[in-house]
Amino acid sequence: MQTYLHALLEQRKNTALYRHRVIHNSPQTPLLVIKGQSYLSFCSNDYLGLANHPRLKIALQHSIDEYGVGSGASHLVTGHTHIHHLLEKELAAYTGCDSALLFSTGYMANIGVITALMGRHDAIFLDKLNHASLVDAALLSRAKMIRYPHNDMQALDRLLSKTTAQHKLIITDGVFSMDGDIANLPHIVKLAHIHDAWVMVDDAHGLGVIGETGRGILEFYGLEVPILMGTLGKAFGVFGAFVAGSTVLIDTLIQSARSYMYTTAMPPAVAQAIRTSLIVSDEESWRRQYLHELIGYFRAATTHMPLIDSVTPIQAIILGDAEKALAVSAALYQRGLLVTAIRPPTVPQGTARLRITLSASHTKKQINTLITALRDVLS
Ligand SMILES: *Cc1c(COP(=O)(O)O)cnc(C)c1O
């Protein structure tokens, strides 16, 4: 085994696909300390700058005094506290759905909901750029998996017409995690109606960020879908995820979503920090407004760069091959900036890129530093 694995790792290194972890020593703020040096980071999904917010920290600390650190069991045994229960009600209210169910991570939420609803005689339609957890969930469900080209509604229409499956489920990211563009949800909903299909949206990067009051893609378009998945470790700055929908859907998931049933509930103190995050993200709506101001500012200054069209905090600069993306990321690192190079298989071959994420915790001055450095390294 050692020899075999070693050869595979060497192969990765030779093709610029080897991954390593950056070890830092700081809270999730724009400045990260690495080996005693401070770096300006554009990598975090902490879009509203809540991950290190004093009110969230205090909520967690106080709740630990009251509930301890661990939940001790799964939700169906003795892990489901009053705090979890209140948070689920508040998430339902936040999203305008009847019910919501907490999961420990977004990955597990996707696995749970998709495997609970779909089986051998069904078909799942996925955007080609959907998040890996959705692809894994579809595979695990044993339903027929049909992937359509990114946001290609004609292709989706054609593929839906051809299927004879019992149940059809269309799944899309709300905001695409590596490109930052937004799904054509109005068209998807229309096709679902025509072809009698169900719709699930994974709004990991949209919730808290887009829509008039940050309610995500559904508010952005003024739409409803039967299944909404949201995460709590990105804009909300904490950890965890949820699925929202009808009470019948949520009850079904409690009965049969295996990644819900067979795992330890998140610590109650974490749930309490999330409850506070929902309040703070509303009360401090300036964070969202300021974030969108920064996005506009950044885009106006980078019109000459190969940027993907995006009104979200995810701004991707396409560079082509993995070597190039790594070299540019390394050059930025030399200048004290952290910008992740995203390579295949996370993105399609030939579309390796820099993935810049902006946050309400960035200052204009920091954005200027980024723009200047990008001009230097890309010229
Ligand atoms: C991050 C992400 C997930 C996974 O959520 P976690 O809570 O980090 O496990 C799922 N879907 C999308 C689109 C994501 O970006």
Side-chain angles (χ1 to χ4, degrees):
M1 186 183 82
Q2 291 298 111
T3 319
Y4 171 65
L5 297 183
H6 184 76
L8 289 183
L9 288 171
E10 283 305 306
Q11 194 183 340
R12 271 185 181 273
K13 285 179 186 165
N14 293 337
T15 49
L17 296 179
Y18 187 77
R19 289 152 195 257
H20 74 280
R21 299 169 298 173
V22 173
I23 304 171
H24 74 87
N25 226 332
S26 24
Q28 197 56 242
T29 63
L31 292 176
L32 296 187
V33 178
I34 301 167
K35 294 186 189 135
Q37 288 263 20
S38 185
Y39 288 85
L40 178 55
S41 165
F42 293 95
C43 308
S44 167
N45 301 314
D46 180 27
Y47 301 123
L48 298 177
L50 296 176
N52 194 40
H53 194 289
R55 281 176 68 187
L56 272 68
K57 295 203 290 196
I58 290 168
L60 189 108
Q61 285 156 357
H62 284 181
S63 192
I64 283 176
D65 288 339
E66 208 171 327
Y67 287 89
V69 294
S71 68
S74 69
H75 283 277
L76 288 170
V77 182
T78 55
H80 191 67
T81 66
H82 188 56
I83 301 293
H84 295 104
H85 208 66
L86 288 174
L87 173 57
E88 286 181 345
K89 291 208 181 326
E90 288 155 6
L91 285 167
Y94 188 93
T95 53
C97 296
D98 292 338
S99 289
L101 190 69
L102 268 180
F103 282 79
S104 292
T105 71
Y107 196 108
M108 292 166 71
N110 284 338
I111 298 280
V113 64
I114 294 164
T115 58
L117 298 182
M118 305 305 279
R120 228 181 266 289
H121 304 292
D122 305 323
I124 301 177
F125 299 80
L126 298 135
D127 188 291
K128 214 44 194 229
L129 297 190
N130 273 357
H131 191 261
S133 57
L134 295 169
V135 176
D136 294 357
L139 286 171
L140 200 57
S141 76
R142 296 181 216 184
K144 185 161 190 222
M145 188 164 111
I146 301 160
R147 300 182 77 184
Y148 57 91
H150 181 47
N151 257 337
D152 184 340
M153 294 299 113
Q154 278 178 344
L156 177 58
D157 190 16
R158 211 174 327 109
L159 292 163
L160 280 162
S161 318
K162 281 202 290 204
T163 181
T164 54
Q166 194 173 20
H167 301 119
K168 290 157 263 182
L169 173 65
I170 308 169
I171 309 178
T172 185
D173 282 22
V175 171
F176 288 89
S177 56
M178 296 300 138
D179 292 53
D181 58 338
I182 300 176
N184 187 349
L185 198 59
H187 208 128
I188 290 175
V189 167
K190 200 169 88 188
L191 291 178
H193 186 72
I194 294 167
H195 295 282
D196 192 23
W198 307 337
V199 177
M200 170 175 171
V201 175
D202 171 342
D203 207 18
H205 296 275
L207 269 181
V209 176
I210 62 170
E212 190 61 32
T213 66
R215 263 55 176 175
I217 189 169
L218 300 184
E219 184 181 35
F220 183 85
Y221 285 122
L223 286 171
E224 286 181 23
V225 295
I227 311 163
L228 173 68
M229 194 287 279
T231 62
L232 303 164
K234 289 173 179 160
F236 294 112
V238 191
F239 186 76
F242 68 94
V243 173
S246 68
T247 302
V248 171
L249 170 73
I250 298 308
D251 200 20
T252 303
L253 297 181
I254 294 172
Q255 311 310 314
S256 51
R258 294 168 66 86
S259 60
Y260 179 78
M261 306 166 79
Y262 301 113
T263 200
T264 303
M266 72 167 58
V270 172
Q272 185 63 20
I274 298 165
R275 295 184 66 204
T276 308
S277 179
L278 294 180
I279 295 168
V280 172
S281 63
D282 271 351
E283 284 182 1
E284 301 184 4
S285 59
W286 62 265
R287 291 176 178 275
R288 190 165 39 255
Q289 283 146 22
Y290 173 63
L291 173 62
H292 287 287
E293 193 185 313
L294 287 185
I295 295 165
Y297 181 76
F298 174 77
R299 287 200 67 93
T302 51
T303 46
H304 55 293
M305 295 180 195
L307 240 69
I308 295 182
D309 209 11
S310 155
V311 298
T312 73
I314 301 168
Q315 297 291 327
I317 302 183
I318 301 291
L319 295 173
D321 60 45
E323 284 85 359
K324 173 107 194 266
L326 277 186
V328 173
S329 176
L332 290 169
Y333 187 77
Q334 287 295 320
R335 285 168 171 74
L337 275 82
L338 289 177
V339 181
T340 322
I342 307 278
R343 293 160 284 168
T346 307
V347 293
Q349 282 293 340
T351 71
R353 65 195 66 186
L354 289 181
R355 177 177 182 266
I356 294 160
T357 50
L358 303 177
S359 162
S361 56
H362 285 123
T363 63
K364 270 235 171 95
K365 189 156 169 261
Q366 290 170 332
I367 306 293
N368 284 334
T369 305
L370 170 67
I371 294 165
T372 308
L374 285 172
R375 282 192 186 134
D376 280 358
V377 301
L378 291 175
S379 62

